[in-house]
Structures are given as structure tokens and as C-alpha cells.
Amino acid sequence: MKTFVIIIFSSFLLLILSCEEKPVQPVASPPEVSVIETQATEVPLYFEFVGDTEGFKDIAIRARVEGFLEGMHFQEGSAVQKGALLYTLESQPFEEKVAARMSAVAETEIMLAKTRGDLNRIKPLAMMNAVSQSDLDAAVAEFEASQAAVEAAQANLRAAQIELGYTKITSPISGIIGKSKAKVGDFVGRDPNPVILNTVSQIDTILVNFFITEKQYLDMARDVVAPEADKVDRESPSMELILVDGSVYPHKGKADFVDRQVDSTTGSMLVQASFPNPEKLLRPGQFVRVRVKGQVIENAILIPQRCVMELQGMHTVFVVGADQKVASRKIKVGAKIGSFWVITEGLNPGEQVIYEGLQKVKDGAIAKPEIAAIPLPDEMR
């Protein structure tokens, strides 16, 4: 009987415990995500090319006569003026040649004076028939030959003086001179490959050479050249220069030269642009990027690339609606501008696209959006 009472009491206790209310689990708050609000804007598209710089004039300095280098009269890497003395070569052999040619001129001039005197004596005698006509003809021929000999000797003297002048090498332009490739004591100027002593570069204006593909040429011809041709001034489109540190060069340039044809082996075309360089910041041999403004897209939507998820060639984004509900949206992307993408289909102005927190949400979930301020690409500032 006592055992029965214990069983009844235990069953009653279990019934009471089972009727107690279970604790209510707390409801998780929706995750916070950063979003950007899309807006229609004017988006310019740019062409970018990699190029290298050269001076407006890069003049190689060579010795025009053979000889040993005797002197250097400049500081390497400094500015030089047009006509400034750069190098001197040994001049003794050429001075000797000039002296010999001057002696030859003097001899021919003496001979010319003699033949002139002979002719002046024979002419009156010939008029009186005191000498034969053949004697007169011989005197005239000797005089004319002496005149020719003097002219030839004077020409040889001028050539020797020119060669002597070549022993002093001067700068052909004003600019920056580089490091000398020959030192005092070197023998220079021997053909067929005379040593390039140095190079002087005029850098008030810098030239940039770059190549464009055939497709880029067609795009530029349609989007850049054709619209510009309708303008009254018909100026070339301006170009920007981006330096290796990512900074934009403050002076704009323009195209000066486009090759006449596309290279069939590479499918590219050479273009040359010029940029003013008043601060002498640019030097020959630098690698730069050339940026040209092309087509302008009206009412385009621009979002950061990190908003976009790509899977098997399909692009999607998460959009937060007015009810804070997350929806997956298929989109089509266009051109890239910096770290942004132009969206051609799938988004409208005023929608909120998740920028940070993509891993916290899924399609149909609730999220707490917070609008983030994302700076525009440098190309649009």
C-alpha cells in the first residue's frame, strides 16, 4: 500500500512539472548591413593605354672626325645651352693639315700671279702679230689653269678648316645632357659605328608613344574623333597622363601623330601625344598611362564591384526593399571604372544595394540597412 502511494505521488508530480510553461527563446534582431543608394548619373568612359616618354628632341652627340678625346666641358645630367662646348678632340693633326693646305693655296696664288703677268705681256704682242696665236692661247690656258688651281686649293683649305672645327663638339640644342659614354683619352669617331658620346634632350615638351589595338582605334574614331570633328575649332581631344605613383599629371596633352596603318603582325597602331612640361617633372624613358575620355553614358547606374556576386557568368546583387526584406537580383554589368561597375540592366535609381554584410543575409531575410558614403572613382571627380 505504501509503495502504491509513492507511485501515485510521483505520477502527480510529473504531471505538474509537465504542465509548467517552457521559457520563451529571445527573437534575434535583423543583421545590420551597409548599403548604397543607387542614383542615375552621367558616367564618362575612358580609354587607357600604357606608353613611354621621350624628349621633344633627343639628339645623339657623335664625333664627326677620328681622334682621342681630350676634354669634357660640362657636368653630366645638367642643363646645357645651344652652342655650348661639350667635348674637345686632339686638334694637332688637323691643324697640321690646315697649315699644309694654306701653303698649297699660297703656291697656287703665286703661280696665278705669274701666269697673269705672262698673259698681260703676250696680249699686246699678239695684237701686233709679234707672237703667234698659239703662244697667246697657251698663255690663256695657263692662266685659267692657275685660277682653277687656286680655287681647288682654297676648297681643300676650307675642308681642312671644317675638320679642325669638328674637334670642338658643341650642343645642337638647349636641353638636359645625360651621362657621357666616353671618357677623356678614348679614341672616338671611327666609322662605320662611331661612338655616341652623349644625348641631349629638349624636355620643355614631352612626347609619349603608345600603341592602340584595331578595336580601340575604331572605338576612338567613333566616340572621340568623330564628335570632335563637328566642333568649329576641330582641336584634338585632350589626354591625361597618369604617372607610376598613380597621380594625375596636371597638364593635359593632345595627339600629334597617328600611324598611317595598323601593324598586321601585332594588330596595333602607333600613336604619339605631346604634353607640356614646364616644371621639368617628366623625363625621357618613363612609363606612364595615357587616359582619353570617350563615350559619355547618360543616366547610368554605378555601384562598387564588391557589391556584385558572380557565379558561372551570372551577376547578382542583394537589394533591400522598403520592408527591409532582402531580395537577390540578377543584373548585367557593363564597363569598369576604377573599382566600380556600370550596371546596364537589373537596377533602378533609388534602390538600396548591400555593400557590406553580404555574408550575413540571404534571399528573403530581413536586414537593417545603413546607408554608406562611398566616394566616386577618381575619373569622375
Side-chain angles (χ1 to χ4, degrees), residues 194-365:
V195 175
I196 297 177
L197 303 178
N198 215 318
T199 302
V200 179
S201 297
Q202 182 179 339
I203 59 172
D204 294 336
T205 298
I206 283 290
L207 303 180
V208 179
N209 298 312
F210 58 94
F211 289 89
I212 62 176
T213 65
E214 187 174 357
K215 181 180 182 304
Q216 289 170 333
Y217 164 72
L218 293 174
D219 291 340
M220 291 183 65
R222 295 189 184 104
D223 298 339
V224 180
V225 179
E228 290 287 338
D230 296 334
K231 295 183 179 180
V232 177
D233 54 12
R234 297 181 181 271
E235 293 182 352
S236 299
S238 62
M239 298 182 173
E240 290 183 331
L241 207 60
I242 305 173
L243 306 181
V244 293
D245 60 356
S247 62
V248 178
Y249 185 63
H251 304 286
K252 296 185 183 298
K254 62 179 181 179
D256 295 327
F257 165 79
V258 179
D259 204 355
R260 66 178 183 87
Q261 67 177 13
V262 176
D263 189 335
S264 59
T265 59
T266 62
S268 61
M269 179 182 291
L270 174 65
V271 180
Q272 185 179 83
S274 61
F275 290 80
N277 190 30
E279 297 88 4
K280 307 296 190 297
L281 177 63
L282 301 179
R283 293 294 182 96
Q286 290 181 265
F287 285 96
V288 294
R289 285 183 293 146
V290 180
R291 186 164 63 194
V292 185
K293 186 177 180 180
Q295 178 187 5
V296 177
I297 304 176
E298 303 289 343
N299 299 320
I301 293 178
L302 205 63
I303 64 172
Q305 294 181 26
R306 64 183 300 175
C307 296
V308 181
M309 297 170 289
E310 183 180 0
L311 180 62
Q312 296 181 349
M314 296 181 60
H315 298 84
T316 58
V317 294
F318 281 136
V319 179
V320 180
D323 55 356
Q324 297 187 343
K325 192 173 183 179
V326 177
S328 178
R329 183 84 57 83
K330 292 182 180 180
I331 60 171
K332 288 187 178 181
V333 298
K336 287 183 180 180
I337 302 179
S339 60
F340 284 70
W341 240 322
V342 176
I343 305 304
T344 58
E345 289 184 19
L347 289 177
N348 297 312
E351 293 188 298
Q352 294 183 348
V353 179
I354 294 180
Y355 174 70
E356 287 184 350
L358 297 173
Q359 71 281 2
K360 301 178 183 179
V361 297
K362 60 181 181 179
D363 192 17

Side-chain angles (χ1 to χ4, degrees), residues 101-106 108-109 148-158:
R101 298 293 168 79
M102 291 178 67
S103 176
V105 169
T108 56
E109 287 178 344
V150 170
E151 292 176 357
Q154 290 175 340
N156 290 334
L157 174 60
R158 287 193 296 271

Side-chain angles (χ1 to χ4, degrees), residues 72 76 87 178-183 186 195-199:
M72 292 173 50
E76 294 173 319
Y87 297 94
K179 182 175 178 59
S180 180
K181 295 180 175 60
K183 301 299 181 182
D186 288 347
V195 175
I196 297 177
L197 303 178
N198 215 318
T199 302

Side-chain angles (χ1 to χ4, degrees), residues 64-67 90-107 152-167:
R64 302 179 69 173
V65 292
E66 293 183 4
E90 61 171 349
S91 59
Q92 291 83 357
F94 301 98
E95 291 173 351
E96 180 183 354
K97 185 182 289 188
V98 169
R101 298 293 168 79
M102 291 178 67
S103 176
V105 169
E107 291 177 2
Q154 290 175 340
N156 290 334
L157 174 60
R158 287 193 296 271
Q161 290 172 335
I162 291 173
E163 288 184 342
L164 177 60
Y166 288 158
T167 60

